[in-house]
Amino acid sequence: MNAPTHAPTAVKPLFSYKPYWAKRFGPAPFLPMSCVEMAQLGWDSCDIVLVTGDAYVDHPSFGMAVIGRVLEAQGFRVGIIAQPDWQSAEPFKALGKPNLFWGVTAGNMDSMINRYTADRKIRSDDAYTPGDVGGKRPDRAAIVYSQRCREAYKDVPIVLGGIEGSLRRIAHYDYWSDKVRRSIVVDSKCDLLLYGNAERALVEVAHRLARREPVAAITDVRGTAFVRRVSEPGWLEINSTEVDQLGRVDAHLNPYQTTGEQAAAQGAACGTPKASQTPADSTDGASVNGPLAAENSTQPLRFVPNPALAAKRPPLREKTVIRLPSFEQVKRDAVLYAHANRVLHLETNPGNARALVQAHGDGVTARDVWINPPPIPLTTAEMDGVFDLPYARSPHPRYADERGRHDGATKIPAWEMIRFSVNIMRGCFGGCTFCSITEHEGRIIQSRSADSIAREVESMRDQVQGFTGVVSDLGGPTANMYRLGCKSPQIEAACRKPSCVYPGICQNLTTNHDPLIDVYKRVRTLPGVKKVLIGSGLRYDLAVQSPAYVKELVQHHVGGYLKIAPEHTEDGPLTKMMKPGIGTYDRFKQLFEKFSKEAGKQQFLIPYFIAAHPGTTDEDMLNLALWLKTNGFRADQVQAFYPSPMATATTMYHTGLNPLKGVHRDERGETVDTVKGERRRRLHKAFLRYHDPANWPLLRQALKDMGHAELIGNGKHHLVPTWQPMDKEGYCSPRRKNSSTKPRANTSGAAAPSADPRPLAKRKRKTPSAPAPGRVLTQHTGLPPRRKK
């Protein structure tokens, strides 16, 4: 199957550049992290030094490893400074002065999400750090690292990238400080920001800097953002700094005039010379060919463009820039913030996106943040080239213990998670409003070839220690969008929809899962491969379009449990999430159970749900809790909505407006119920864990306040009981942690009183030896999987 043509214009292939002179050194076993390693490679300096907030793992699931290997393939000498001490600039001088530029990123995860929970509490762990130790990177790491790089060598250009920079390329709401912050381009003082998957832009920038082109002159690369103080000449600027303003009012054309007369009138109104009337414009047929010729001849009807409308044709999109409301405007006006967010999301298709510009500051401090259109997606051949580079597929030897092992205090949890997994695609066209994958990777799917995927599995089998024959995942941002896309490149290039699957699957979207089925079958039959599991999130609304895919998945690639994400059961929050209704989940569940039964396997679905999402009412959460109880689900851990920068749902949370429906100042604008405040967020999470006795007092009071006291009781149809288990310290939950805890010892010597008023015989339970159907514990973080780039 050939790769779709994504590019609206011709682009230079990623690996067609003339290699830099340092190509003669060849690839390094690991990119060096010290001057000693540089000397062993025969280097006297680094051309590019990458600074990252993650431990260095040379694996294609880690962004810095991909960027480093891609630059190395272009002939550049690349070094890495991983998790440096940011208290001074000295650690940033460990590899010497870069010859070309710094490459800075906070890491695979946003540093604030990595550090804080959805309730703004500090995490004690960090999966991207050896030993799972937290606090090894600063808050807003991209800004801090950029400042230290500038202090170390102030004349070296700084190129910022990664997901933290991508999601902060314009003025954005910052959940942790509860205010609107400036673009990260301004705060970090970087020379260039590369957003999205930036291989194409980075290679172009690196070669131009190697040719000694000033970094300030590199303003025409797609997928970049930068600061400029003067407007770019030759561009048409569309002012979109306000809402509900009247557009251009044009005079109506006189229908009784000929097209030539209309053009002449239009030209006079525009101050242009009148168009001369041609014989074809005349209404008198006799003046052309005579009355007999007009009466006896038969001529076809011809449609010609009206010259009067020529002046109204839109300008070329390639030379059009949209001016967003300024930072000062969006900071003080929620309507303009929602409007800016809506415009940003409309300009994300590489086929038709226009440049954006946003002013920061007033007077002498005024400057514009210019954002070029998104990068052109990689072709299948380019994706294969990126993933076929010589990755070591393990952490840097610096993190190994004296026996050369990566365990115990040197174990990197994120590496362990993806150690035996393979990334087969990028991008997501789902458009879920709470997720930022689309804003970072785009909605056009970039897929690898089956040969490249098979080669990586074989390399993993032969090189990675501890491989037992089980591939933990073949996936990406989603499990089953491999090789899916628009049927027509022309339609794809013109489309401006935020999602291809909401409110229904687009008629122009291919839903053929046969290429993915073929990949699954090929990999599971490779020598040395015993089992291939699918751990990435599944779009079950797409899966039900291909029962053959569901059969292959269920019968060969599920290890007992399959995680899917309905997120909610009620239409209110689902419409704000842009997720399908719960009926689609029911259809997938039927297929799942059917094919599991055919294979003679007892397997279970684990649904993910999210609490406190914008648009969710208390009644919605109550209905979800009743659905969970009816279907016998008990959530082990739940996560409240986490407002990540630039997500559409975050705009709803901050402004209380729905940018999906258009933004207006009058009644045409749709308001959104946002769940704020500690008590209400706790209540929504408590509804998901209705079975936890620690939540019963809060739920009882809430049910009374909502007028649903009939749901309080000790029957099967009740949500929470009237009684409460107690110990000496008051209310307690039988599950203090994710695993069961032992009963407390009675140190008083007396019989412990029971707070349960029921007879003992009725309180006895039979402990099951295995999870029963529908009783599977569920866990949901509300965030993209950490292993994704």
Short mmCIF file of all heavy atoms in Angstrom, two decimals, residues 412-431:
data_model
loop_
_atom_site.label_atom_id
_atom_site.label_comp_id
_atom_site.label_asym_id
_atom_site.label_seq_id
_atom_site.Cartn_x
_atom_site.Cartn_y
_atom_site.Cartn_z
N ILE A 412 14.88 2.65 35.20
CA ILE A 412 14.11 3.76 34.64
C ILE A 412 12.73 3.21 34.27
O ILE A 412 12.59 2.48 33.29
CB ILE A 412 14.81 4.35 33.41
CG1 ILE A 412 16.23 4.81 33.78
CG2 ILE A 412 14.01 5.51 32.83
CD1 ILE A 412 17.05 5.28 32.60
N PRO A 413 11.69 3.52 35.04
CA PRO A 413 10.38 2.91 34.81
C PRO A 413 9.84 3.12 33.40
O PRO A 413 9.23 2.21 32.83
CB PRO A 413 9.49 3.59 35.86
CG PRO A 413 10.44 3.99 36.95
CD PRO A 413 11.71 4.36 36.25
N ALA A 414 10.02 4.31 32.84
CA ALA A 414 9.51 4.56 31.49
C ALA A 414 10.17 3.64 30.47
O ALA A 414 9.53 3.19 29.51
CB ALA A 414 9.73 6.02 31.11
N TRP A 415 11.44 3.36 30.67
CA TRP A 415 12.15 2.44 29.78
C TRP A 415 11.60 1.03 29.94
O TRP A 415 11.40 0.31 28.95
CB TRP A 415 13.65 2.50 30.05
CG TRP A 415 14.42 1.24 29.86
CD1 TRP A 415 15.05 0.50 30.81
CD2 TRP A 415 14.66 0.56 28.61
NE1 TRP A 415 15.67 -0.58 30.25
CE2 TRP A 415 15.45 -0.58 28.90
CE3 TRP A 415 14.29 0.80 27.30
CZ2 TRP A 415 15.86 -1.47 27.92
CZ3 TRP A 415 14.70 -0.09 26.32
CH2 TRP A 415 15.48 -1.20 26.64
N GLU A 416 11.35 0.61 31.17
CA GLU A 416 10.80 -0.71 31.40
C GLU A 416 9.43 -0.86 30.74
O GLU A 416 9.07 -1.93 30.25
CB GLU A 416 10.71 -0.98 32.90
CG GLU A 416 12.05 -1.01 33.62
CD GLU A 416 12.92 -2.18 33.21
OE1 GLU A 416 12.35 -3.20 32.79
OE2 GLU A 416 14.16 -2.06 33.29
N MET A 417 8.67 0.24 30.72
CA MET A 417 7.33 0.19 30.16
C MET A 417 7.34 -0.05 28.65
O MET A 417 6.50 -0.78 28.12
CB MET A 417 6.59 1.49 30.46
CG MET A 417 5.14 1.54 30.00
SD MET A 417 4.39 3.15 30.28
CE MET A 417 4.54 3.29 32.06
N ILE A 418 8.30 0.54 27.94
CA ILE A 418 8.31 0.44 26.48
C ILE A 418 9.44 -0.45 25.98
O ILE A 418 9.70 -0.50 24.78
CB ILE A 418 8.44 1.85 25.86
CG1 ILE A 418 9.65 2.62 26.41
CG2 ILE A 418 7.16 2.64 26.08
CD1 ILE A 418 10.94 2.36 25.75
N ARG A 419 10.08 -1.15 26.87
CA ARG A 419 11.28 -1.92 26.53
C ARG A 419 11.04 -2.91 25.40
O ARG A 419 11.88 -3.07 24.51
CB ARG A 419 11.73 -2.67 27.79
CG ARG A 419 13.07 -3.36 27.68
CD ARG A 419 13.43 -3.96 29.03
NE ARG A 419 14.73 -4.61 29.05
CZ ARG A 419 15.26 -5.19 30.11
NH1 ARG A 419 14.58 -5.18 31.26
NH2 ARG A 419 16.45 -5.76 30.05
N PHE A 420 9.88 -3.55 25.39
CA PHE A 420 9.59 -4.56 24.38
C PHE A 420 8.38 -4.15 23.52
O PHE A 420 7.62 -5.00 23.07
CB PHE A 420 9.33 -5.92 25.04
CG PHE A 420 10.46 -6.38 25.92
CD1 PHE A 420 10.26 -6.58 27.28
CD2 PHE A 420 11.72 -6.59 25.39
CE1 PHE A 420 11.30 -6.99 28.10
CE2 PHE A 420 12.77 -7.01 26.21
CZ PHE A 420 12.56 -7.20 27.56
N SER A 421 8.22 -2.86 23.32
CA SER A 421 7.12 -2.36 22.49
C SER A 421 7.68 -1.73 21.23
O SER A 421 8.85 -1.36 21.15
CB SER A 421 6.28 -1.35 23.27
OG SER A 421 7.04 -0.18 23.51
N VAL A 422 6.81 -1.59 20.23
CA VAL A 422 7.20 -1.03 18.93
C VAL A 422 6.16 0.00 18.53
O VAL A 422 4.96 -0.27 18.53
CB VAL A 422 7.30 -2.13 17.85
CG1 VAL A 422 7.60 -1.52 16.49
CG2 VAL A 422 8.37 -3.15 18.22
N ASN A 423 6.65 1.19 18.17
CA ASN A 423 5.78 2.27 17.70
C ASN A 423 5.60 2.13 16.20
O ASN A 423 6.58 2.16 15.46
CB ASN A 423 6.43 3.62 18.05
CG ASN A 423 5.44 4.76 18.02
OD1 ASN A 423 4.50 4.73 17.24
ND2 ASN A 423 5.65 5.76 18.85
N ILE A 424 4.37 1.97 15.74
CA ILE A 424 4.13 1.71 14.32
C ILE A 424 3.55 2.91 13.58
O ILE A 424 3.46 2.88 12.35
CB ILE A 424 3.20 0.49 14.14
CG1 ILE A 424 1.80 0.77 14.68
CG2 ILE A 424 3.80 -0.75 14.80
CD1 ILE A 424 0.80 -0.35 14.40
N MET A 425 3.13 3.96 14.29
CA MET A 425 2.53 5.11 13.62
C MET A 425 2.57 6.33 14.52
O MET A 425 2.89 6.23 15.70
CB MET A 425 1.08 4.81 13.21
CG MET A 425 0.21 4.16 14.25
SD MET A 425 -0.44 5.25 15.55
CE MET A 425 -1.58 6.25 14.63
N ARG A 426 2.25 7.48 13.94
CA ARG A 426 2.14 8.74 14.66
C ARG A 426 0.83 9.42 14.28
O ARG A 426 0.25 9.15 13.24
CB ARG A 426 3.28 9.69 14.29
CG ARG A 426 4.64 9.33 14.80
CD ARG A 426 5.64 10.36 14.31
NE ARG A 426 7.00 10.09 14.75
CZ ARG A 426 8.06 10.75 14.31
NH1 ARG A 426 7.91 11.72 13.41
NH2 ARG A 426 9.26 10.45 14.74
N GLY A 427 0.43 10.38 15.12
CA GLY A 427 -0.74 11.18 14.81
C GLY A 427 -2.02 10.58 15.35
O GLY A 427 -2.08 9.40 15.72
N CYS A 428 -3.07 11.41 15.37
CA CYS A 428 -4.39 10.96 15.83
C CYS A 428 -5.43 11.92 15.28
O CYS A 428 -5.33 13.13 15.45
CB CYS A 428 -4.46 10.92 17.35
SG CYS A 428 -6.07 10.40 17.99
N PHE A 429 -6.44 11.36 14.60
CA PHE A 429 -7.51 12.20 14.07
C PHE A 429 -8.77 12.14 14.93
O PHE A 429 -9.84 12.53 14.50
CB PHE A 429 -7.84 11.83 12.61
CG PHE A 429 -8.07 10.37 12.36
CD1 PHE A 429 -9.20 9.73 12.83
CD2 PHE A 429 -7.15 9.63 11.62
CE1 PHE A 429 -9.42 8.39 12.59
CE2 PHE A 429 -7.36 8.28 11.37
CZ PHE A 429 -8.50 7.66 11.85
N GLY A 430 -8.63 11.62 16.16
CA GLY A 430 -9.78 11.54 17.05
C GLY A 430 -10.28 12.90 17.51
O GLY A 430 -11.47 13.14 17.62
N GLY A 431 -9.34 13.81 17.82
CA GLY A 431 -9.71 15.16 18.20
C GLY A 431 -10.31 15.29 19.59
O GLY A 431 -11.00 16.28 19.86
#
